[in-house]
Amino acid sequence: MVAIAYTVAFVGIEARLVEVQAAVAPGLPAFTVVGLPDKAVSEARERIRAAFSAMAVALPAKRVTVNLSPADLPKEGSHFDLPIALAILAALDVVPADELENVVSLGELALDGRLVSVAGALPAAMAAAEDQRTLICPPACGAEAAWVGAVPVIAPDGLRQVVDHLTGRAPAPQAVAGQVARPQRIADMADVRGQERAKRALEIAAAGRHHLLMVGPPGSGKSMLAARLPGLMPELTPAEALETSMIQSLAGLLSDGGISREAPYRDPHHTASMAAIVGGGRGAKPGEVSLAHNGVLFMDELPEFPRQVLETLRQPLETGEVVVARANAHVRYPCRFLLVAAANPCRCGHFADPARACARAPQCGADYMGRLSGPLMDR
């Protein structure tokens, strides 16, 4: 018998529906997962065996084959544990197969059968709502996924509770959306004394979404002023907050299921790699430019960033989106952010003070600021 369950695979902020097919057939005992699974998905076999043992359910001495369709789409993450387990339970007639037709599930299984939190519950709920299916997820993700509102979200504690819900023995209650996160920002422009011209420049930048570069000696207040810029920006609209939270959900940055209406603020160190800034790495995850979507990206010591990293900002600044192209992934992320940068006038920082400037002044200032290309400065 072949049983089918449904889950999602993430491609950028898009969650694509994946069909989990499980077949239990006569043959030598084996448990095989196919369909381009990564290491975390392949390891689901051992977690599922232990979770079944905790429920007093034993895998039969037969050949168990699980296919993740479409088979040419890479499957990454531990959230495939729960749908694989449900598909196998349906193939063993423990769970009614027809109950899985209208359910999208995701969650990592602990060895005792508990459901462990995973990233991406909010995009998964959006995909489930488009297909008009119920979402089953870990309890730590229920408040986050319930924000979609157009789909019932069930967040049981463990695999046994999921089985009881699907068999009708003990239906689980629906999850409730988390509270809007309260502002926790303590940096306020009212704390700044003086710096009237700089504060006026920040007000203009926030009002018109203009990118800003502050150049001044060390200790003049550049970082302090930049940290207070988000306080001048208006609250995110509901659509902006949802889009921003979907990116944060994929990065695992949402806490307690709360969606914030504050503009995000990101300040990466100048040693950050290109993948950390624009996105990439394992699974083509979002970078700092996308995590700052609808908010502020502050880059302190701008000339100290590698030139290759700075040049990759040119296209995102102009188009408002970034395309992470890799051999096995081609992912598009939104990144409409306000870039605020700070720099010293030269390497020693005292270009304007003849008493403290280095011996190479004024050439050192021209060389230092020359690390920023003309096209980047135009933007």
Side-chain angles (χ1 to χ4, degrees):
M1 174 184 176
V2 176
I4 297 175
Y6 295 93
T7 187
V8 294
F10 300 108
V11 181
I13 61 172
E14 178 188 359
R16 295 186 184 179
L17 200 66
V18 172
E19 192 177 273
V20 181
Q21 307 161 355
V24 179
L28 293 175
F31 190 156
T32 307
V33 180
V34 297
L36 283 185
D38 73 344
K39 185 66 174 177
V41 181
S42 299
E43 291 175 346
R45 296 173 297 185
E46 304 308 321
R47 292 191 292 269
I48 291 172
R49 286 183 190 275
F52 280 9
S53 297
M55 292 177 53
V57 175
L59 283 173
K62 296 182 179 181
R63 183 174 185 83
V64 179
T65 304
V66 176
N67 178 44
L68 306 176
S69 176
D72 59 345
L73 178 67
K75 318 299 188 308
E76 299 176 344
S78 59
H79 66 275
F80 288 91
D81 290 7
L82 179 58
I84 292 175
L86 292 179
I88 294 174
L89 290 173
L92 297 176
D93 292 327
V94 177
V95 172
D98 56 347
E99 290 292 332
L100 298 180
E101 286 292 327
N102 299 316
V103 169
V104 172
S105 59
L106 75 163
E108 178 185 330
L109 286 175
L111 297 184
D112 59 357
R114 290 178 296 108
L115 289 179
V116 182
S117 176
V118 292
L122 189 56
M126 297 285 289
E130 291 178 1
D131 282 1
Q132 298 182 345
R133 301 175 188 267
T134 300
L135 179 69
I136 298 179
C137 64
C141 303
E144 171 188 338
W147 273 103
V148 175
V151 56
V153 176
I154 308 299
D157 294 329
L159 183 59
R160 185 181 298 276
Q161 288 74 20
V162 177
V163 173
D164 290 342
H165 174 77
L166 294 175
T167 56
R169 286 196 294 267
Q174 293 188 20
V176 179
Q179 299 294 322
V180 176
R182 294 185 177 182
Q184 298 180 350
R185 187 181 298 116
I186 58 175
D188 195 321
M189 195 66 73
D191 301 333
V192 182
R193 298 293 182 264
Q195 300 279 18
E196 299 303 328
R197 293 183 63 187
K199 289 193 287 187
R200 178 59 177 164
L202 289 172
E203 292 170 359
I204 295 173
R209 293 278 178 156
H210 303 299
H211 304 302
L212 179 66
L213 172 62
M214 295 182 287
V215 181
S220 58
K222 302 185 295 295
S223 301
M224 175 191 65
L225 288 166
R228 285 156 173 78
L229 177 58
L232 300 178
M233 303 179 69
E235 285 189 346
L236 301 180
T237 65
E240 290 174 339
L242 186 61
E243 188 177 32
T244 302
S245 298
M246 289 176 66
I247 300 174
Q248 295 174 343
S249 176
L250 285 173
L253 299 179
L254 289 185
S255 59
D256 300 326
I259 289 182
S260 176
R261 296 286 296 274
E262 293 182 84
Y265 176 80
R266 306 291 299 183
D267 54 346
H269 194 260
H270 63 262
T271 57
S273 65
M274 184 171 63
I277 297 296
V278 299
R282 180 178 176 271
K285 297 298 183 182
E288 293 292 336
V289 295
S290 297
L291 295 174
H293 181 56
N294 292 322
V296 176
L297 176 66
F298 176 53
M299 301 183 73
D300 200 6
E301 306 293 350
L302 185 66
E304 297 293 339
F305 280 84
R307 185 178 183 87
Q308 185 180 16
V309 172
L310 294 178
E311 294 307 309
T312 58
L313 293 175
R314 289 160 54 176
Q315 183 181 5
L317 285 171
E318 185 170 344
T319 63
E321 64 179 12
V322 59
V323 179
V324 181
R326 297 292 183 268
N328 61 343
H330 193 83
V331 181
R332 189 181 304 270
Y333 290 109
C335 59
R336 294 185 297 275
F337 59 91
L338 172 58
L339 175 62
V340 179
N344 294 331
C346 62
R347 190 170 186 84
C348 70
H350 302 290
F351 176 76
D353 186 355
R356 304 177 66 184
C358 64
R360 294 188 63 247
Q363 186 60 37
C364 65
D367 293 344
Y368 192 67
M369 298 305 295
R371 299 181 182 184
L372 308 178
S373 67
L376 178 63
M377 294 295 289
D378 289 343
R379 288 165 173 80

